[in-house]
Amino acid sequence: DAKTTQPNSMESNEEEPVHLPCNHSTISGTDYIHWYRQLPSQGPEYVIHGLTSNVNNRMASLAIAEDRKSSTLILHRATLRDAAVYYCILRSGSGGGADGLTFGKGTHLIIQP
Amino acid sequence: DAMVIQNPRYQVTQFGKPVTLSCSQTLNHNVMYWYQQKSSQAPKLLFHYYDKDFNNEADTPDNFQSRRPNTSFCFLDIRSPGLGDAAMYLCATSRTPRTTNEKLFFGSGTQLSVL
């Protein structure tokens, strides 16, 4: 699976929007961009995923660059409960991709009250 | 609610003493995964079952085994735990493997300590 690059950590204030970047310059045309997050002492949980178009759900929005070499996870109004490690993961569509998810180091999001 | 359940939440074992971690799911998913997550590291896939078909990752030590007696249950057996096996063990499920549009559902994990 193609590699992703994320900042090690980011800090934001409560009730403000948060933009979490992810670079994936070697993404292939059929790779989906997935985001998961892991709250302290919990298993990872699915946040959102997309292919080319921007996506919205109740948790977040995903903005995908036109060339697909980067994406941004947007939390519209961060709360203290959003403090977690956020993982940006590519899932290969080539048929030869790995089973399961291959996690990178992720971004540790800190929310200040 | 349908979910992935891991028991126990915390497990303590002794060096060299076999230990089994369990996972159950009510999602009726075909695939069950086991991940190992050491402190401050990302989860690492150990192996997975697609139905009864077992798939081991190339770098998973022989010390780790798994059993899936039915769709709902999957077990992780560590035959001779070493101090380096202390970690959070995560179970996850998905409907199908290698499907780019599928999402995985994770349990809360079992934190294993080795004394």
Side-chain angles (χ1 to χ4, degrees), chain B residues 9-98:
Chain B
R9 188 77 174 88
Y10 299 93
Q11 176 74 55
V12 180
T13 191
Q14 293 179 336
F15 182 94
K17 184 176 181 180
V19 65
T20 295
L21 309 181
S22 70
C23 176
S24 65
Q25 54 127 343
T26 59
L27 297 160
N28 204 33
H29 281 175
N30 294 313
V31 191
M32 294 187 78
Y33 306 87
W34 280 103
Y35 283 82
Q36 179 192 61
Q37 185 174 26
K38 295 186 177 181
S39 181
S40 301
Q41 295 184 21
K44 181 178 180 295
L45 182 63
L46 294 173
F47 29 58
H48 75 275
Y49 271 97
Y50 179 27
D51 289 333
K52 295 182 180 180
D53 184 23
F54 178 72
N55 298 271
N56 201 27
E57 294 298 297
D59 56 354
T60 297
D62 292 339
N63 198 27
F64 292 86
Q65 305 284 320
S66 186
R67 296 170 284 133
R68 189 178 185 186
N70 53 51
T71 301
S72 301
F73 286 88
C74 196
F75 300 99
L76 170 62
D77 300 309
I78 308 176
R79 291 192 294 187
S80 182
L83 297 178
D85 296 328
M88 172 79 86
Y89 290 88
L90 296 160
C91 175
T93 72
S94 68
R95 283 189 306 156
T96 57
R98 292 194 179 188

Side-chain angles (χ1 to χ4, degrees), chain A residues 42-44, chain B residues 3-6 23 89-93 105-110:
Chain A
Q42 295 293 321
Chain B
M3 55 176 46
V4 181
I5 302 162
Q6 291 189 245
C23 176
Y89 290 88
L90 296 160
C91 175
T93 72
F105 295 80
F106 284 83
S108 296
T110 293

Side-chain angles (χ1 to χ4, degrees), chain A residues 11-77:
Chain A
E11 199 166 313
S12 183
N13 295 320
E14 197 176 9
E15 298 187 5
E16 290 185 357
V18 179
H19 292 235
L20 295 165
C22 181
N23 288 319
H24 28 78
S25 58
T26 59
I27 191 170
S28 71
T30 54
D31 287 349
Y32 274 78
I33 302 159
H34 287 246
W35 284 82
Y36 282 73
R37 73 178 186 180
Q38 187 172 20
L39 280 64
S41 301
Q42 295 293 321
E45 65 173 339
Y46 168 82
V47 178
I48 200 166
H49 76 282
L51 183 62
T52 56
S53 304
N54 294 343
V55 184
N56 300 296
N57 66 22
R58 63 175 181 81
M59 289 182 71
S61 296
L62 176 60
I64 301 172
E66 198 168 329
D67 65 4
R68 301 209 329 123
K69 293 184 185 299
S70 66
S71 60
T72 302
L73 179 70
I74 303 165
L75 306 178
H76 294 286
R77 196 160 169 266

